[in-house]
Amino acid sequence: MLEYFDLLMFAALMAAILLGFPVSFAIAGTAILFAYLGWSAGIMKPGLLGALGQRVFGVMTNEVLIAIPLFVSMGVILERSRIAEDLLDTMGRLFGQLRGGLGISVILVGALLAASTGIVGATVIAMGMIALPTMLRTGYDPRLASGLVCTAGTLGQIIPPSTLLIILSDVMSSAYQQAQYEQGKFSVETISVGQIFAGALVPGLALVTIYIVYVLLRGVLRPQDMPPAPTPEGRPGPAEIAGAVVPPVVLIVAVLGAILGGIATPTEAASVGAVGAILMAGARQGVDRRLVLCGAAAFLFLAVAAGLAPVRLQRSDAGAADWALGAVYGALALLGLWAVLVSLWRLFRRDLLVGAMTTTMTVTAMIFATILMASVFSLVFVGLGGEDRVAQILQSMPGGATGALVFAMVLIFVLGFFLDFVEITVILLPLVAPVLILMGHDPVWLAILIAINLQTSFLTPPFGFSLFYLRGAAPPEITTGQIYAGVMPFILLQIVGITTIWAVPALATWLPSVVF
């Protein structure tokens, strides 16, 4: 029994979560219990827990993870400013007369919201309340409509920027460094968030393409499932389409372009996204658009000009031209700040700001509590010999490196039925990723395969988060069974996506190799 303490620890964690205990408390409680049992049985040295403080300090001072609350706030503000409604309405009228057009519009809006908000819950709830009733009134099969909304909402986890990719990049970077140390390399390379974002961009768009192809084929084979939608308001004009699509696209380009272009770190780019979301939401809530545009232009000009012609007024040789340029930069900063403050005040008056900040704090606290408690769990798990057991299992798999990767992917897929992506990422991946990298798998390609697998965990019953989100937002005539049945074809499409990336690794590795 003592030699299986590590496996019992993992089983106890699963049981605690399934019993309904809060995740972070279940993780910490299981770790503390088995640390005491392991010490009592003489199979774990309590001195190992002395590294816990260093681990917690490392998480709290990790600059990469600071981007999480900024991206979360960006997404929540955009969601609460009802920009999703404009997108859905415009896209629905644009594609509605095509058979399956509403389904295509839901997928495209899901992709745009994924790249601009990255919040699965917000996207699923918004589309469940807006698009799902429209599809049902048009005559869409309830199962297909539910599956489309759930699946389109999960694109926020694979299309950057997303919290999943940020956490995954941190875990994979540590695993890559650990693998290099074990190979005897002490001048190690790292993996950046930008590389993971670049690697996920093409596969994310490939998934969108797979979904659209499926909708079009199903429209041909089963036309009764998705009839064309009447558009009494008529097709939107170019100006209306641009007004709905251009703002989020500009924000996406600003954030991802800054990261992929090497202009800003992910945290700095997340700050840009948060400020851009505030300005967009302010314009949506009635702030003078001229002020918003002038403020955004001021920030953009200031960023470019300060990079090309930096001013250091503290230097003793600063002349009149430096002071004049500094005054111009200061005026631009004040103009941008004024636009942001006016937008914040309008959001506060409309009762949007407090709710957005509360949601941001709640989501951020949940993520960081899970990451911190997972550090405790993994430390005790390693102390009980779990790390060696995982390495032994992977290395003994038939088929070598390919067999080990298949086993790991199946394990992640199965755990996705019961655990959240954060728990799988910060508990399981630090154990399996270094071994898989040592076996020769490219770390960026491996990260993207795992990311798509983890995205699938939002769709898999019984605990898929997208299913819960839609259950809360769907009309009463939609049953839980219809939601579960509706996501089944899309789970198979996820497997098709994983197989495609596996068969064509360049889809995940080409863009990072070009950009970085």
Side-chain angles (χ1 to χ4, degrees):
M1 179 67 73
L2 294 180
E3 60 181 306
Y4 297 111
F5 248 42
D6 50 348
L7 299 180
L8 289 173
M9 180 181 180
F10 207 86
L13 172 64
M14 297 280 291
I17 293 175
L18 292 177
L19 287 173
F21 287 104
V23 171
S24 54
F25 293 117
I27 295 172
T30 304
I32 293 171
L33 173 63
F34 274 83
Y36 175 76
L37 293 176
W39 170 65
S40 301
I43 59 176
M44 177 181 167
K45 297 179 180 179
L48 183 65
L49 296 178
L52 182 59
Q54 184 179 358
R55 285 196 168 204
V56 172
F57 183 77
V59 171
M60 300 308 294
T61 56
N62 190 325
E63 292 187 4
V64 172
L65 298 180
I66 297 174
I68 291 176
L70 293 170
F71 277 129
V72 170
S73 64
M74 166 183 152
V76 172
I77 289 171
L78 287 178
E79 181 264 331
R80 288 178 176 264
S81 62
R82 308 176 78 87
I83 290 173
E85 292 188 18
D86 287 347
L87 271 173
L88 280 167
D89 178 65
T90 304
M91 290 293 184
R93 287 161 52 204
L94 181 62
F95 295 103
Q97 294 178 340
L98 177 69
R99 187 172 298 280
L102 280 179
I104 293 173
S105 68
V106 166
I107 294 170
L108 293 177
V109 170
L112 281 173
L113 293 178
S116 55
T117 68
I119 308 288
V120 169
T123 305
V124 172
I125 290 171
M127 293 196 294
M129 296 177 69
I130 304 164
L132 187 56
T134 303
M135 287 193 283
L136 295 177
R137 285 196 303 269
T138 304
Y140 270 59
D141 184 282
R143 294 168 297 181
L144 174 62
S146 302
L148 279 168
V149 170
C150 284
T151 307
T154 63
L155 288 170
Q157 291 304 310
I158 187 61
I159 296 180
S162 79
T163 52
L164 166 61
L165 295 178
I166 294 172
I167 299 171
L168 186 61
S169 67
D170 183 62
V171 171
M172 292 302 294
S173 180
S174 299
Y176 188 35
Q177 293 178 56
Q178 181 180 339
Q180 291 175 89
Y181 284 136
E182 293 187 17
Q183 290 174 330
K185 300 178 182 178
F186 296 100
S187 178
V188 297
E189 300 176 6
T190 60
I191 298 175
S192 67
V193 177
Q195 286 175 282
I196 300 298
F197 278 8
L201 195 56
V202 175
L205 296 177
L207 276 179
V208 172
T209 304
I210 290 172
Y211 298 157
I212 292 176
V213 169
Y214 169 75
V215 170
L216 292 174
L217 289 176
R218 183 157 177 170
V220 172
L221 298 176
R222 295 182 57 87
Q224 69 274 15
D225 286 353
M226 47 179 73
T231 52
E233 300 178 13
R235 293 170 67 88
E240 190 176 355
I241 296 173
V245 175
V246 169
V249 168
V250 169
L251 188 63
I252 293 165
V253 171
V255 173
L256 293 184
I259 296 174
L260 301 182
I263 300 171
T265 66
T267 303
E268 293 165 346
S271 303
V272 171
V275 171
I278 291 170
L279 292 175
M280 285 174 57
R284 182 69 172 75
Q285 297 302 318
V287 175
D288 191 336
R289 291 181 182 270
R290 291 171 297 180
L291 174 61
V292 171
L293 289 174
C294 288
F299 278 136
L300 177 62
F301 183 82
L302 179 62
V304 174
L308 296 176
V311 175
R312 296 177 176 84
L313 299 179
Q314 72 274 20
R315 291 175 52 170
S316 59
D317 59 348
D322 294 322
W323 283 97
L325 194 56
V328 172
Y329 288 176
L332 290 172
L334 289 175
L335 176 58
L337 180 61
W338 177 248
V340 171
L341 291 176
V342 171
S343 298
L344 286 172
W345 177 247
R346 181 58 60 92
L347 294 176
F348 177 75
R349 293 292 300 272
R350 296 289 178 90
D351 293 328
L352 296 175
L353 186 61
V354 174
M357 293 300 99
T358 302
T359 302
T360 299
M361 291 297 294
T362 302
V363 173
T364 303
M366 179 193 71
I367 292 173
F368 274 87
T370 304
I371 293 174
L372 287 170
M373 295 307 102
S375 296
V376 183
F377 184 93
S378 61
L379 192 64
V380 176
F381 191 75
V382 169
L384 294 175
E387 188 176 36
D388 295 333
R389 185 183 297 276
V390 170
Q392 182 181 0
I393 291 173
L394 291 176
Q395 291 168 354
S396 63
M397 282 289 119
T402 302
L405 182 55
V406 170
F407 173 79
M409 294 294 285
V410 171
L411 179 61
I412 292 170
F413 181 79
V414 172
L415 289 178
F417 282 80
F418 309 101
L419 299 180
D420 181 26
F421 77 94
V422 179
E423 296 134 41
I424 299 174
T425 304
V426 297
I427 294 176
L428 179 65
L429 293 190
L431 300 173
V432 302
V435 181
L436 294 174
I437 293 172
L438 279 171
M439 289 181 163
H441 294 297
D442 182 89
V444 174
W445 174 75
L446 179 63
I448 304 309
L449 282 179
I450 292 173
I452 300 176
N453 203 343
L454 290 172
Q455 177 202 355
T456 311
S457 70
F458 280 82
L459 300 174
T460 46
F463 298 115
F465 274 69
S466 287
L467 311 179
F468 287 135
Y469 294 140
L470 184 61
R471 176 65 276 167
E477 62 266 26
I478 295 291
T479 66
T480 302
Q482 287 174 326
I483 295 175
Y484 284 4
V487 297
M488 290 303 173
F490 293 97
I491 293 174
L492 295 177
L493 291 179
Q494 290 289 117
I495 297 174
V496 170
I498 293 174
T499 306
T500 303
I501 306 303
W502 194 314
V504 190
L507 290 174
T509 58
W510 171 77
L511 188 58
S513 66
V514 171
V515 175
F516 295 92

